[in-house]
Amino acid sequence: CLRKSDPEEAEVLLGLVQALQHPSFREGVRNWVAFHCISFTEDSDEHRLEWTALHKEFVTMFEGCAEVYMLAAGIPQQDFVMIAAGWRGQLIRADGVASHTCKLGHLLKELELEENDHECDRCFQDLEVGETILGCVSCGYEICSRCQR
């Protein structure tokens, strides 16, 4: 079993990042976006059924790239899922260092909690005034020191 801090795990995930950054994959994504962007120009609060189908198609492109990478690297899908789950909520930089992110992908910043009535968005434990947390100033996502490990 690989530990979260194991460099082999970071190498596996960095390999996927490199596959997703490959010029042919990026070109495919650009072409898909150019073709479908007109579908998202409507200014509406209603979620159109067409958007759900397009989202599934978009996700399938990424999953296909990940599957090709896993096959080429000889990584069983179940192992990859376990590795990815262990790194959930972290951004792996090109130098292999992990940084925490919110669900929208914003980097979290170290903050000192100044008021009550906050809870960790990962473990749902109450946060204490004065506690050092990681938080997203854009969307209010916060994690406690236990979940930062």
Side-chain angles (χ1 to χ4, degrees):
C1 182
L2 297 172
R3 291 187 311 257
K4 192 172 183 183
S5 61
D6 192 320
E8 290 179 36
E9 286 187 358
E11 186 178 323
V12 166
L13 295 176
L14 282 171
L16 175 59
V17 169
Q18 290 169 348
L20 294 171
Q21 291 175 340
H22 191 274
S24 63
F25 180 74
R26 291 176 66 163
E27 182 180 347
V29 170
R30 276 193 297 275
N31 291 339
W32 187 92
V33 169
F35 185 77
H36 293 292
C37 68
I38 193 74
S39 300
F40 298 98
T41 57
E42 181 182 308
D43 188 21
S44 171
D45 291 336
E46 189 174 322
H47 184 89
R48 293 178 28 200
L49 186 57
E50 176 189 14
W51 296 346
T52 301
L54 289 173
H55 178 259
K56 286 181 182 178
E57 187 178 319
F58 191 73
V59 167
T60 299
M61 286 184 348
F62 282 83
E63 289 174 343
C65 183
E67 287 176 15
V68 168
Y69 163 70
M70 287 183 286
L71 283 171
I75 303 166
Q77 184 177 9
Q78 188 173 21
D79 290 355
F80 182 82
V81 169
M82 294 296 289
I83 291 169
W87 285 82
R88 190 177 134 239
Q90 293 189 4
L91 175 69
I92 304 170
R93 301 186 326 217
D95 59 6
V97 175
S99 300
H100 291 278
T101 62
C102 70
K103 292 180 179 183
L104 298 176
H106 305 127
L107 283 175
L108 300 184
K109 297 181 180 178
E110 194 170 279
L111 306 168
E112 186 173 319
L113 197 60
E114 297 177 354
E115 54 188 48
N116 283 323
D117 205 26
H118 289 258
E119 68 178 27
C120 176
D121 287 309
R122 287 200 185 153
C123 69
F124 306 106
Q125 298 294 314
D126 288 334
L127 300 173
E128 303 293 327
V129 172
E131 183 176 350
T132 301
I133 62 167
L134 289 180
C136 178
V137 294
S138 298
C139 64
Y141 185 83
E142 301 168 330
I143 60 172
C144 67
S145 57
R146 294 172 301 282
C147 291
Q148 296 173 31
R149 296 183 199 126

